[in-house]
Structures are given as C-alpha cells and as structure tokens.
mmCIF file of all heavy atoms in Angstrom:
data_model
loop_
_atom_site.group_PDB
_atom_site.id
_atom_site.type_symbol
_atom_site.label_atom_id
_atom_site.label_comp_id
_atom_site.label_asym_id
_atom_site.label_seq_id
_atom_site.Cartn_x
_atom_site.Cartn_y
_atom_site.Cartn_z
ATOM 1 N N LYS A 1 0.829 -1.204 0.000
ATOM 2 C CA LYS A 1 0.000 0.000 0.000
ATOM 3 C C LYS A 1 0.864 1.255 0.000
ATOM 4 O O LYS A 1 0.509 2.273 -0.620
ATOM 5 C CB LYS A 1 -0.939 -0.010 1.197
ATOM 6 C CG LYS A 1 -2.041 -1.054 1.087
ATOM 7 C CD LYS A 1 -3.071 -0.928 2.191
ATOM 8 C CE LYS A 1 -4.210 -1.922 1.992
ATOM 9 N NZ LYS A 1 -5.268 -1.768 3.011
ATOM 10 N N ASN A 2 1.989 1.199 0.677
ATOM 11 C CA ASN A 2 2.917 2.326 0.689
ATOM 12 C C ASN A 2 3.472 2.588 -0.713
ATOM 13 O O ASN A 2 3.525 3.735 -1.173
ATOM 14 C CB ASN A 2 4.044 2.038 1.681
ATOM 15 C CG ASN A 2 5.199 3.017 1.575
ATOM 16 O OD1 ASN A 2 6.260 2.691 1.050
ATOM 17 N ND2 ASN A 2 4.998 4.225 2.066
ATOM 18 N N ILE A 3 3.862 1.513 -1.397
ATOM 19 C CA ILE A 3 4.401 1.645 -2.762
ATOM 20 C C ILE A 3 3.344 2.220 -3.693
ATOM 21 O O ILE A 3 3.612 3.107 -4.505
ATOM 22 C CB ILE A 3 4.890 0.278 -3.270
ATOM 23 C CG1 ILE A 3 6.120 -0.169 -2.462
ATOM 24 C CG2 ILE A 3 5.233 0.339 -4.757
ATOM 25 C CD1 ILE A 3 6.535 -1.600 -2.735
ATOM 26 N N GLN A 4 2.110 1.722 -3.570
ATOM 27 C CA GLN A 4 1.037 2.212 -4.421
ATOM 28 C C GLN A 4 0.726 3.678 -4.129
ATOM 29 O O GLN A 4 0.487 4.472 -5.044
ATOM 30 C CB GLN A 4 -0.229 1.359 -4.208
ATOM 31 C CG GLN A 4 -1.304 1.582 -5.256
ATOM 32 C CD GLN A 4 -0.831 1.279 -6.675
ATOM 33 O OE1 GLN A 4 -0.087 0.326 -6.893
ATOM 34 N NE2 GLN A 4 -1.241 2.096 -7.636
ATOM 35 N N ALA A 5 0.770 4.046 -2.835
ATOM 36 C CA ALA A 5 0.467 5.425 -2.449
ATOM 37 C C ALA A 5 1.495 6.403 -3.003
ATOM 38 O O ALA A 5 1.176 7.554 -3.315
ATOM 39 C CB ALA A 5 0.402 5.539 -0.929
ATOM 40 N N LYS A 6 2.735 5.932 -3.159
ATOM 41 C CA LYS A 6 3.797 6.809 -3.652
ATOM 42 C C LYS A 6 3.816 6.922 -5.172
ATOM 43 O O LYS A 6 4.556 7.742 -5.717
ATOM 44 C CB LYS A 6 5.154 6.325 -3.142
ATOM 45 C CG LYS A 6 5.351 6.570 -1.658
ATOM 46 C CD LYS A 6 6.778 6.358 -1.203
ATOM 47 C CE LYS A 6 7.174 4.913 -1.224
ATOM 48 N NZ LYS A 6 8.506 4.700 -0.567
ATOM 49 N N GLY A 7 3.003 6.096 -5.851
ATOM 50 C CA GLY A 7 2.924 6.197 -7.303
ATOM 51 C C GLY A 7 2.946 4.874 -8.026
ATOM 52 O O GLY A 7 2.734 4.816 -9.228
ATOM 53 N N GLY A 8 3.232 3.798 -7.290
ATOM 54 C CA GLY A 8 3.271 2.477 -7.921
ATOM 55 C C GLY A 8 4.682 2.075 -8.290
ATOM 56 O O GLY A 8 5.531 2.909 -8.608
ATOM 57 N N LEU A 9 4.940 0.764 -8.250
ATOM 58 C CA LEU A 9 6.289 0.255 -8.457
ATOM 59 C C LEU A 9 6.829 0.581 -9.852
ATOM 60 O O LEU A 9 8.004 0.905 -10.012
ATOM 61 C CB LEU A 9 6.310 -1.262 -8.220
ATOM 62 C CG LEU A 9 7.688 -1.908 -8.121
ATOM 63 C CD1 LEU A 9 8.511 -1.285 -7.008
ATOM 64 C CD2 LEU A 9 7.551 -3.416 -7.909
ATOM 65 N N GLU A 10 5.987 0.512 -10.865
ATOM 66 C CA GLU A 10 6.449 0.764 -12.235
ATOM 67 C C GLU A 10 6.983 2.184 -12.386
ATOM 68 O O GLU A 10 8.059 2.403 -12.976
ATOM 69 C CB GLU A 10 5.311 0.516 -13.229
ATOM 70 C CG GLU A 10 5.726 0.658 -14.678
ATOM 71 C CD GLU A 10 4.607 0.333 -15.651
ATOM 72 O OE1 GLU A 10 3.539 -0.146 -15.218
ATOM 73 O OE2 GLU A 10 4.808 0.567 -16.868
ATOM 74 N N LYS A 11 6.250 3.170 -11.862
ATOM 75 C CA LYS A 11 6.694 4.558 -11.960
ATOM 76 C C LYS A 11 7.945 4.800 -11.124
ATOM 77 O O LYS A 11 8.858 5.529 -11.546
ATOM 78 C CB LYS A 11 5.573 5.500 -11.502
ATOM 79 C CG LYS A 11 4.448 5.659 -12.506
ATOM 80 C CD LYS A 11 3.447 6.692 -12.038
ATOM 81 C CE LYS A 11 2.335 6.866 -13.069
ATOM 82 N NZ LYS A 11 1.341 7.875 -12.617
ATOM 83 N N LEU A 12 7.996 4.183 -9.942
ATOM 84 C CA LEU A 12 9.162 4.365 -9.080
ATOM 85 C C LEU A 12 10.411 3.763 -9.716
ATOM 86 O O LEU A 12 11.496 4.347 -9.662
ATOM 87 C CB LEU A 12 8.899 3.732 -7.708
ATOM 88 C CG LEU A 12 7.823 4.416 -6.857
ATOM 89 C CD1 LEU A 12 7.485 3.555 -5.637
ATOM 90 C CD2 LEU A 12 8.273 5.798 -6.411
ATOM 91 N N ARG A 13 10.255 2.583 -10.331
ATOM 92 C CA ARG A 13 11.390 1.930 -10.981
ATOM 93 C C ARG A 13 11.888 2.722 -12.195
ATOM 94 O O ARG A 13 13.059 2.627 -12.565
ATOM 95 C CB ARG A 13 10.978 0.536 -11.438
ATOM 96 C CG ARG A 13 10.710 -0.448 -10.331
ATOM 97 C CD ARG A 13 12.001 -0.922 -9.719
ATOM 98 N NE ARG A 13 11.807 -2.123 -8.946
ATOM 99 C CZ ARG A 13 12.395 -2.381 -7.790
ATOM 100 N NH1 ARG A 13 13.226 -1.484 -7.265
ATOM 101 N NH2 ARG A 13 12.189 -3.507 -7.142
ATOM 102 N N ALA A 14 11.003 3.484 -12.815
ATOM 103 C CA ALA A 14 11.381 4.236 -14.010
ATOM 104 C C ALA A 14 12.283 5.426 -13.679
ATOM 105 O O ALA A 14 12.929 5.978 -14.565
ATOM 106 C CB ALA A 14 10.133 4.727 -14.744
ATOM 107 N N ILE A 15 12.336 5.810 -12.415
ATOM 108 C CA ILE A 15 13.181 6.928 -12.011
ATOM 109 C C ILE A 15 14.607 6.430 -11.825
ATOM 110 O O ILE A 15 14.863 5.533 -11.018
ATOM 111 C CB ILE A 15 12.667 7.564 -10.701
ATOM 112 C CG1 ILE A 15 11.236 8.072 -10.887
ATOM 113 C CG2 ILE A 15 13.576 8.709 -10.267
ATOM 114 C CD1 ILE A 15 10.592 8.540 -9.599
ATOM 115 N N GLN A 16 15.527 6.996 -12.564
ATOM 116 C CA GLN A 16 16.937 6.602 -12.497
ATOM 117 C C GLN A 16 17.804 7.617 -11.755
ATOM 118 O O GLN A 16 18.876 7.269 -11.250
ATOM 119 C CB GLN A 16 17.492 6.394 -13.907
ATOM 120 C CG GLN A 16 16.773 5.304 -14.693
ATOM 121 C CD GLN A 16 16.890 3.942 -14.028
ATOM 122 O OE1 GLN A 16 17.983 3.510 -13.658
ATOM 123 N NE2 GLN A 16 15.769 3.251 -13.878
ATOM 124 N N SER A 17 17.349 8.853 -11.701
ATOM 125 C CA SER A 17 18.113 9.890 -11.007
ATOM 126 C C SER A 17 17.164 10.980 -10.522
ATOM 127 O O SER A 17 16.065 11.147 -11.053
ATOM 128 C CB SER A 17 19.186 10.487 -11.917
ATOM 129 O OG SER A 17 18.586 11.167 -13.006
ATOM 130 N N ILE A 18 17.628 11.713 -9.513
ATOM 131 C CA ILE A 18 16.827 12.795 -8.931
ATOM 132 C C ILE A 18 17.733 13.981 -8.631
ATOM 133 O O ILE A 18 18.855 13.823 -8.128
ATOM 134 C CB ILE A 18 16.136 12.356 -7.620
ATOM 135 C CG1 ILE A 18 15.151 11.213 -7.864
ATOM 136 C CG2 ILE A 18 15.414 13.539 -6.965
ATOM 137 C CD1 ILE A 18 14.561 10.647 -6.583
ATOM 138 N N LYS A 19 17.249 15.177 -8.949
ATOM 139 C CA LYS A 19 17.877 16.409 -8.472
ATOM 140 C C LYS A 19 16.820 17.180 -7.695
ATOM 141 O O LYS A 19 15.719 17.415 -8.192
ATOM 142 C CB LYS A 19 18.393 17.263 -9.637
ATOM 143 C CG LYS A 19 19.029 18.564 -9.164
ATOM 144 C CD LYS A 19 19.475 19.440 -10.325
ATOM 145 C CE LYS A 19 20.069 20.753 -9.817
ATOM 146 N NZ LYS A 19 20.474 21.657 -10.928
ATOM 147 N N GLN A 20 17.172 17.537 -6.461
ATOM 148 C CA GLN A 20 16.230 18.222 -5.581
ATOM 149 C C GLN A 20 16.892 19.467 -5.006
ATOM 150 O O GLN A 20 18.042 19.429 -4.574
ATOM 151 C CB GLN A 20 15.819 17.288 -4.448
ATOM 152 C CG GLN A 20 14.927 17.923 -3.385
ATOM 153 C CD GLN A 20 14.629 16.937 -2.273
ATOM 154 O OE1 GLN A 20 14.018 15.893 -2.502
ATOM 155 N NE2 GLN A 20 15.078 17.248 -1.062
ATOM 156 N N THR A 21 16.176 20.580 -5.027
ATOM 157 C CA THR A 21 16.683 21.808 -4.428
ATOM 158 C C THR A 21 15.701 22.295 -3.370
ATOM 159 O O THR A 21 14.501 21.998 -3.427
ATOM 160 C CB THR A 21 16.898 22.911 -5.473
ATOM 161 O OG1 THR A 21 15.618 23.267 -6.042
ATOM 162 C CG2 THR A 21 17.826 22.463 -6.577
ATOM 163 N N GLY A 22 16.227 23.054 -2.422
ATOM 164 C CA GLY A 22 15.351 23.560 -1.387
ATOM 165 C C GLY A 22 16.073 24.471 -0.414
ATOM 166 O O GLY A 22 17.272 24.738 -0.535
ATOM 167 N N ARG A 23 15.320 24.942 0.561
ATOM 168 C CA ARG A 23 15.867 25.762 1.631
ATOM 169 C C ARG A 23 16.113 24.883 2.852
ATOM 170 O O ARG A 23 15.383 23.932 3.107
ATOM 171 C CB ARG A 23 14.893 26.879 1.993
ATOM 172 C CG ARG A 23 14.736 27.928 0.889
ATOM 173 C CD ARG A 23 13.711 28.979 1.247
ATOM 174 N NE ARG A 23 12.340 28.463 1.120
ATOM 175 C CZ ARG A 23 11.530 28.242 2.128
ATOM 176 N NH1 ARG A 23 11.920 28.473 3.372
ATOM 177 N NH2 ARG A 23 10.302 27.800 1.929
ATOM 178 N N VAL A 24 17.157 25.202 3.590
ATOM 179 C CA VAL A 24 17.496 24.422 4.766
ATOM 180 C C VAL A 24 17.717 25.358 5.947
ATOM 181 O O VAL A 24 18.225 26.469 5.798
ATOM 182 C CB VAL A 24 18.754 23.550 4.513
ATOM 183 C CG1 VAL A 24 19.966 24.411 4.239
ATOM 184 C CG2 VAL A 24 19.028 22.617 5.683
ATOM 185 N N SER A 25 17.293 24.908 7.115
ATOM 186 C CA SER A 25 17.527 25.632 8.358
ATOM 187 C C SER A 25 18.202 24.668 9.322
ATOM 188 O O SER A 25 17.639 23.628 9.664
ATOM 189 C CB SER A 25 16.208 26.142 8.950
ATOM 190 O OG SER A 25 16.429 26.740 10.221
ATOM 191 N N ILE A 26 19.429 25.000 9.730
ATOM 192 C CA ILE A 26 20.187 24.141 10.640
ATOM 193 C C ILE A 26 20.542 24.935 11.884
ATOM 194 O O ILE A 26 21.358 25.860 11.828
ATOM 195 C CB ILE A 26 21.471 23.600 9.961
ATOM 196 C CG1 ILE A 26 21.110 22.785 8.712
ATOM 197 C CG2 ILE A 26 22.275 22.744 10.941
ATOM 198 C CD1 ILE A 26 22.308 22.295 7.939
ATOM 199 N N GLN A 27 19.890 24.600 12.979
ATOM 200 C CA GLN A 27 20.119 25.277 14.257
ATOM 201 C C GLN A 27 20.070 26.794 14.105
ATOM 202 O O GLN A 27 20.947 27.514 14.597
ATOM 203 C CB GLN A 27 21.446 24.820 14.861
ATOM 204 C CG GLN A 27 21.468 23.322 15.172
ATOM 205 C CD GLN A 27 22.764 22.843 15.762
ATOM 206 O OE1 GLN A 27 23.774 23.541 15.737
ATOM 207 N NE2 GLN A 27 22.756 21.634 16.305
ATOM 208 N N GLY A 28 19.052 27.257 13.393
ATOM 209 C CA GLY A 28 18.835 28.688 13.240
ATOM 210 C C GLY A 28 19.564 29.344 12.084
ATOM 211 O O GLY A 28 19.333 30.524 11.792
ATOM 212 N N ILE A 29 20.446 28.616 11.411
ATOM 213 C CA ILE A 29 21.173 29.162 10.259
ATOM 214 C C ILE A 29 20.449 28.758 8.984
ATOM 215 O O ILE A 29 20.177 27.578 8.761
ATOM 216 C CB ILE A 29 22.632 28.652 10.232
ATOM 217 C CG1 ILE A 29 23.352 29.008 11.531
ATOM 218 C CG2 ILE A 29 23.369 29.243 9.043
ATOM 219 C CD1 ILE A 29 24.747 28.440 11.629
ATOM 220 N N GLU A 30 20.141 29.746 8.139
ATOM 221 C CA GLU A 30 19.414 29.493 6.896
ATOM 222 C C GLU A 30 20.381 29.291 5.739
ATOM 223 O O GLU A 30 21.449 29.910 5.682
ATOM 224 C CB GLU A 30 18.473 30.666 6.585
ATOM 225 C CG GLU A 30 17.490 30.998 7.688
ATOM 226 C CD GLU A 30 16.477 29.895 7.913
ATOM 227 O OE1 GLU A 30 16.052 29.271 6.920
ATOM 228 O OE2 GLU A 30 16.110 29.661 9.085
ATOM 229 N N GLY A 31 19.997 28.424 4.816
ATOM 230 C CA GLY A 31 20.842 28.197 3.663
ATOM 231 C C GLY A 31 20.092 27.523 2.530
ATOM 232 O O GLY A 31 18.863 27.396 2.559
ATOM 233 N N LYS A 32 20.840 27.082 1.539
ATOM 234 C CA LYS A 32 20.279 26.407 0.365
ATOM 235 C C LYS A 32 20.807 24.978 0.300
ATOM 236 O O LYS A 32 21.958 24.706 0.669
ATOM 237 C CB LYS A 32 20.670 27.149 -0.917
ATOM 238 C CG LYS A 32 19.991 28.498 -1.090
ATOM 239 C CD LYS A 32 18.544 28.334 -1.528
ATOM 240 C CE LYS A 32 17.908 29.657 -1.901
ATOM 241 N NZ LYS A 32 16.507 29.488 -2.359
ATOM 242 N N GLN A 33 19.962 24.072 -0.180
ATOM 243 C CA GLN A 33 20.369 22.678 -0.318
ATOM 244 C C GLN A 33 20.120 22.198 -1.738
ATOM 245 O O GLN A 33 19.086 22.507 -2.342
ATOM 246 C CB GLN A 33 19.579 21.788 0.654
ATOM 247 C CG GLN A 33 19.993 20.330 0.623
ATOM 248 C CD GLN A 33 18.807 19.379 0.457
ATOM 249 O OE1 GLN A 33 17.814 19.691 -0.180
ATOM 250 N NE2 GLN A 33 18.927 18.216 1.039
ATOM 251 N N THR A 34 21.099 21.451 -2.269
ATOM 252 C CA THR A 34 20.918 20.753 -3.539
ATOM 253 C C THR A 34 21.304 19.305 -3.320
ATOM 254 O O THR A 34 22.372 19.010 -2.791
ATOM 255 C CB THR A 34 21.793 21.354 -4.651
ATOM 256 O OG1 THR A 34 21.501 22.746 -4.790
ATOM 257 C CG2 THR A 34 21.517 20.664 -5.973
ATOM 258 N N LEU A 35 20.429 18.407 -3.727
ATOM 259 C CA LEU A 35 20.665 16.977 -3.542
ATOM 260 C C LEU A 35 20.615 16.270 -4.890
ATOM 261 O O LEU A 35 19.726 16.535 -5.705
ATOM 262 C CB LEU A 35 19.622 16.381 -2.589
ATOM 263 C CG LEU A 35 19.733 14.891 -2.265
ATOM 264 C CD1 LEU A 35 19.356 14.634 -0.803
ATOM 265 C CD2 LEU A 35 18.838 14.048 -3.174
ATOM 266 N N TYR A 36 21.607 15.389 -5.119
ATOM 267 C CA TYR A 36 21.647 14.558 -6.311
ATOM 268 C C TYR A 36 21.620 13.095 -5.871
ATOM 269 O O TYR A 36 22.356 12.697 -4.964
ATOM 270 C CB TYR A 36 22.934 14.804 -7.099
ATOM 271 C CG TYR A 36 23.156 16.235 -7.529
ATOM 272 C CD1 TYR A 36 23.864 17.113 -6.708
ATOM 273 C CD2 TYR A 36 22.686 16.701 -8.752
ATOM 274 C CE1 TYR A 36 24.090 18.427 -7.097
ATOM 275 C CE2 TYR A 36 22.910 18.014 -9.145
ATOM 276 C CZ TYR A 36 23.602 18.876 -8.307
ATOM 277 O OH TYR A 36 23.822 20.175 -8.693
ATOM 278 N N ALA A 37 20.802 12.295 -6.507
ATOM 279 C CA ALA A 37 20.741 10.859 -6.215
ATOM 280 C C ALA A 37 20.620 10.089 -7.522
ATOM 281 O O ALA A 37 19.975 10.553 -8.469
ATOM 282 C CB ALA A 37 19.547 10.539 -5.313
ATOM 283 N N LYS A 38 21.284 8.935 -7.557
ATOM 284 C CA LYS A 38 21.287 8.131 -8.776
ATOM 285 C C LYS A 38 21.334 6.657 -8.409
ATOM 286 O O LYS A 38 21.983 6.274 -7.425
ATOM 287 C CB LYS A 38 22.505 8.505 -9.634
ATOM 288 C CG LYS A 38 22.512 7.930 -11.030
ATOM 289 C CD LYS A 38 23.688 8.504 -11.833
ATOM 290 C CE LYS A 38 23.696 7.979 -13.263
ATOM 291 N NZ LYS A 38 24.828 8.545 -14.043
ATOM 292 N N ARG A 39 20.623 5.850 -9.170
ATOM 293 C CA ARG A 39 20.648 4.414 -8.906
ATOM 294 C C ARG A 39 22.058 3.855 -9.087
ATOM 295 O O ARG A 39 22.803 4.345 -9.920
ATOM 296 C CB ARG A 39 19.688 3.677 -9.861
ATOM 297 C CG ARG A 39 18.234 3.877 -9.543
ATOM 298 C CD ARG A 39 17.363 2.919 -10.348
ATOM 299 N NE ARG A 39 15.968 3.187 -10.122
ATOM 300 C CZ ARG A 39 15.281 2.689 -9.095
ATOM 301 N NH1 ARG A 39 15.873 1.900 -8.220
ATOM 302 N NH2 ARG A 39 14.000 2.977 -8.946
ATOM 303 N N PRO A 40 22.418 2.799 -8.305
ATOM 304 C CA PRO A 40 21.555 2.140 -7.320
ATOM 305 C C PRO A 40 21.608 2.794 -5.934
ATOM 306 O O PRO A 40 20.624 2.764 -5.200
ATOM 307 C CB PRO A 40 22.117 0.722 -7.266
ATOM 308 C CG PRO A 40 23.580 0.906 -7.542
ATOM 309 C CD PRO A 40 23.667 2.030 -8.536
ATOM 310 N N ASN A 41 22.758 3.434 -5.594
ATOM 311 C CA ASN A 41 22.868 3.975 -4.236
ATOM 312 C C ASN A 41 23.892 5.108 -4.148
ATOM 313 O O ASN A 41 24.686 5.180 -3.206
ATOM 314 C CB ASN A 41 23.251 2.870 -3.243
ATOM 315 C CG ASN A 41 24.556 2.187 -3.591
ATOM 316 O OD1 ASN A 41 25.071 2.346 -4.696
ATOM 317 N ND2 ASN A 41 25.100 1.437 -2.658
ATOM 318 N N MET A 42 23.875 5.994 -5.132
ATOM 319 C CA MET A 42 24.794 7.131 -5.115
ATOM 320 C C MET A 42 24.057 8.389 -4.659
ATOM 321 O O MET A 42 22.904 8.629 -5.044
ATOM 322 C CB MET A 42 25.405 7.332 -6.503
ATOM 323 C CG MET A 42 26.344 6.204 -6.905
ATOM 324 S SD MET A 42 27.163 6.458 -8.504
ATOM 325 C CE MET A 42 25.819 6.053 -9.627
ATOM 326 N N LEU A 43 24.747 9.167 -3.834
ATOM 327 C CA LEU A 43 24.106 10.328 -3.218
ATOM 328 C C LEU A 43 25.111 11.453 -3.038
ATOM 329 O O LEU A 43 26.268 11.219 -2.685
ATOM 330 C CB LEU A 43 23.526 9.938 -1.851
ATOM 331 C CG LEU A 43 22.794 11.026 -1.062
ATOM 332 C CD1 LEU A 43 21.459 11.358 -1.725
ATOM 333 C CD2 LEU A 43 22.566 10.564 0.378
ATOM 334 N N ARG A 44 24.677 12.672 -3.304
ATOM 335 C CA ARG A 44 25.496 13.860 -3.028
ATOM 336 C C ARG A 44 24.578 14.973 -2.541
ATOM 337 O O ARG A 44 23.565 15.271 -3.182
ATOM 338 C CB ARG A 44 26.249 14.315 -4.278
ATOM 339 C CG ARG A 44 27.115 15.576 -4.054
ATOM 340 C CD ARG A 44 27.696 16.048 -5.378
ATOM 341 N NE ARG A 44 28.436 17.301 -5.260
ATOM 342 C CZ ARG A 44 29.774 17.393 -5.265
ATOM 343 N NH1 ARG A 44 30.508 16.302 -5.368
ATOM 344 N NH2 ARG A 44 30.377 18.579 -5.172
#
C-alpha cells in the first residue's frame, strides 16, 4: 500500500536519477540545499 500510495512500483522503478533543491535551516542558520541521487545507491 505504501508503494502504491507513492505512485506504484512501475513509476518508481522508471526513475533513475533525482535532483532536488530547497531551503534548509540548521540550528537557526538558513541556507540552500541541492541533492543529487542516482541508482543504485549514489548520493550527493
């Protein structure tokens, strides 16, 4: 049910890489975040 709620296994498997940007707050300090992820288990 969790897999289906997130979009279904077929759609999730079709994703090979992700780039995500956003704002971050760490102990009161504001900044910017960029995240890169790629199959099978690479992260930056």
Side-chain angles (χ1 to χ4, degrees):
K1 290 188 176 183
N2 169 255
I3 292 171
Q4 193 59 39
K6 288 192 290 189
L9 192 58
E10 184 177 352
K11 285 185 179 180
L12 292 170
R13 292 285 197 220
I15 300 172
Q16 299 299 311
S17 65
I18 297 174
K19 179 183 178 182
Q20 175 183 298
T21 64
R23 292 177 285 111
V24 63
S25 175
I26 300 176
Q27 298 180 346
I29 303 175
E30 304 294 323
K32 290 284 188 179
Q33 183 231 32
T34 303
L35 181 143
Y36 302 91
K38 190 173 182 179
R39 287 191 185 275
N41 58 346
M42 292 183 283
L43 181 71
R44 179 187 175 104

